[in-house]
Amino acid sequence: TKAKDAWLRDCVVGDLNGDAVRDVAVLDTRKATVEILTTAPYGELVKATSFQVSQGKRFSDAPEMGIDPREAVIGYVTGAGKNDLILLAHDRLIVYPGQ
């Protein structure tokens, strides 16, 4: 990532857009964001997009205090024909349908 002060804690791998190319969803728990990487033709990972999952006041700026989103999985849950990104953040299960 090129994000300043990122705290990357976990990642999941799967095909998020149905193009038969693996994508990687990386969780930045310091800023509560997800960065999506895709595989370029020669195998290197390149940034496709990133987005913020939630906003809210944190009680500390220490990176170890950031825990959300804390779990992620790529799977087929919406029935739309493509894998979805499922996140657990705070006490919510958030589904981002595959595009």
Side-chain angles (χ1 to χ4, degrees):
T1 186
K2 293 182 181 181
K4 184 179 178 186
D5 299 326
W7 189 260
L8 306 178
R9 291 193 93 169
D10 200 4
C11 67
V12 291
V13 178
D15 181 10
L16 287 170
N17 56 357
D19 64 355
V21 175
R22 70 178 176 199
D23 302 304
V24 180
V26 182
L27 307 180
D28 177 355
T29 58
R30 176 175 242 171
K31 298 182 180 185
T33 61
V34 174
E35 189 167 308
I36 306 292
L37 309 173
T38 192
T39 306
Y42 294 105
E44 67 273 12
L45 292 173
V46 294
K47 182 179 176 180
T49 190
S50 64
F51 56 92
Q52 190 167 20
V53 175
S54 63
Q55 293 181 338
K57 183 173 175 73
R58 296 192 184 218
F59 296 105
S60 171
D61 288 332
E64 56 272 12
M65 296 303 292
I67 59 168
D68 286 313
R70 65 181 175 268
E71 297 287 335
V73 67
I74 294 174
Y76 183 69
V77 296
T78 61
K82 294 183 182 168
N83 285 330
D84 308 303
L85 177 62
I86 302 100
L87 302 175
L88 181 61
H90 303 294
D91 63 344
R92 302 286 188 248
L93 188 64
I94 304 168
V95 177
Y96 291 94
Q99 298 286 322

